[in-house]
């Protein structure tokens, strides 16, 4: 796992849109399907543009597939992302003819033993809501803090551009600056998520 860099600017770039909110004690799995209901945006025009930009396959993913998305192992923090969730079952719910592509970010972290849980929770919860409101977020998942203070968080976005937009938001940048104080180490992973017509599985490739 990568050591935390010292340069604050690099931290902000590296963390990108990964939001790692947890409850104050770090004990709770959240599995939230988001979509347009949470995309308040900055203006009504933004929200209208977000909704118009959704492809039929995005709507199908939100309505038919992602509500059934879940882990398939208790060791999700250690196994490859492809082996941590019921990807194939989720893809199958889209139907054999569906095709589309999306962008995933996963954030694996080891929290410091003396981390200020309340401060981390407040900063990350605000950044999470900011990311939801900014548009393009389809799934927000983050897991329990285990006995070794390890955690996995993950977001599925409509595309990389929406994810990058969230990284430039002020509350995200504030939360990112806390990384050096809160984590012994962290690792950011980016993936493409692809569903091809004629198949009932996802292809997940690291980027």
């Amino acid at each position: 796992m990568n050591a935390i860099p010292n340069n604050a600017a690099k931290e902000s770039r590296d963390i990108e849109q990964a939001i790692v909110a947890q409850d104050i004690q770090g004990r709770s799995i959240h599995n939230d399907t988001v979509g347009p209901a949470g995309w308040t945006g900055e203006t009504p025009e933004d929200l209208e543009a977000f909704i118009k930009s959704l492809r039929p396959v995005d709507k199908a993913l939100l309505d038919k597939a992602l509500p059934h998305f879940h882990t398939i192992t208790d060791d999700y923090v250690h196994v490859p992302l492809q082996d941590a969730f019921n990807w194939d079952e989720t893809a199958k719910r889209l139907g054999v003819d569906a095709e589309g592509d999306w962008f995933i970010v996963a954030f694996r972290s080891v929290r410091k033993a003396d981390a200020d849980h309340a401060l981390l929770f407040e900063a990350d919860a605000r950044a999470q809501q900011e990311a939801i409101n900014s548009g393009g977020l389809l799934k927000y998942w983050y897991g329990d803090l285990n006995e070794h203070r390890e955690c996995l968080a993950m977001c599925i976005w409509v595309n990389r551009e929406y994810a990058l937009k969230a990284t430039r938001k002020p509350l995200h940048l504030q939360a990112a600056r806390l990384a050096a104080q809160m984590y012994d180490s962290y690792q950011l992973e980016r993936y493409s998520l692809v569903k091809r017509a004629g198949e009932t599985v996802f292809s997940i490739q690291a980027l």
Side-chain angles (χ1 to χ4, degrees):
M1 187 171 287
N2 298 339
I4 296 178
N6 294 322
N7 184 282
K10 187 174 187 299
E11 289 169 2
S12 297
R13 291 195 301 270
D14 285 352
I15 292 177
E16 204 171 6
Q17 80 290 349
I19 311 298
V20 290
Q22 298 175 23
D23 68 20
I24 290 177
Q25 299 303 318
R27 295 191 305 264
S28 186
I29 290 180
H30 289 253
N31 188 3
D32 301 326
T33 301
V34 184
W39 299 356
T40 57
E42 289 79 17
T43 68
E45 290 77 17
D46 284 338
L47 178 58
E48 183 179 1
F50 295 156
I51 294 174
K52 285 183 177 179
S53 72
L54 280 178
R55 303 163 296 180
V57 71
D58 296 323
K59 296 176 183 178
L61 188 68
L62 281 168
D63 296 339
K64 298 179 180 180
L66 288 181
H68 304 279
F69 182 78
H70 58 77
T71 57
I72 56 174
T73 173
D74 291 336
D75 197 32
Y76 52 79
V77 74
H78 294 129
V79 302
L81 195 74
Q82 295 90 328
D83 299 330
F85 297 93
N86 64 329
W87 296 108
D88 289 351
E89 177 188 342
T90 303
K92 189 176 295 185
R93 290 179 179 274
L94 291 175
V96 68
D97 294 328
E99 60 180 348
D101 60 285
W102 301 270
F103 181 66
I104 300 173
V105 172
F107 185 84
R108 301 179 194 266
S109 62
V110 181
R111 193 181 296 189
K112 288 181 179 290
D114 61 350
D116 186 332
H117 298 296
L119 178 62
L120 181 63
F121 170 73
E122 180 181 0
D124 284 348
R126 292 172 64 199
Q128 176 193 1
Q129 191 60 49
E130 179 186 61
I132 290 172
N133 293 347
S134 73
L137 183 61
L138 301 177
K139 170 65 72 173
Y140 183 79
W141 188 97
Y142 58 89
D144 189 23
L145 194 72
N146 69 17
E147 65 271 23
H148 303 295
R149 305 186 310 278
E150 298 169 307
C151 185
L152 171 68
M154 184 195 65
C155 297
I156 302 175
W157 296 86
V158 171
N159 56 43
R160 188 174 189 135
E161 287 68 34
Y162 275 118
L164 289 173
K165 177 186 175 185
T167 71
R168 304 184 184 105
K169 297 288 184 176
L171 296 178
H172 166 79
L173 295 174
Q174 290 177 23
R177 294 187 189 105
L178 291 175
Q181 303 173 39
M182 298 297 175
Y183 301 110
D184 283 332
S185 61
Y186 60 75
Q187 179 172 313
L188 187 70
E189 302 168 1
R190 302 172 184 86
Y191 301 87
S192 64
L193 177 68
V194 178
K195 166 70 169 64
R196 298 183 178 90
E199 299 180 356
T200 56
V201 297
F202 284 125
S203 171
I204 304 173
Q205 298 293 327
L207 299 174

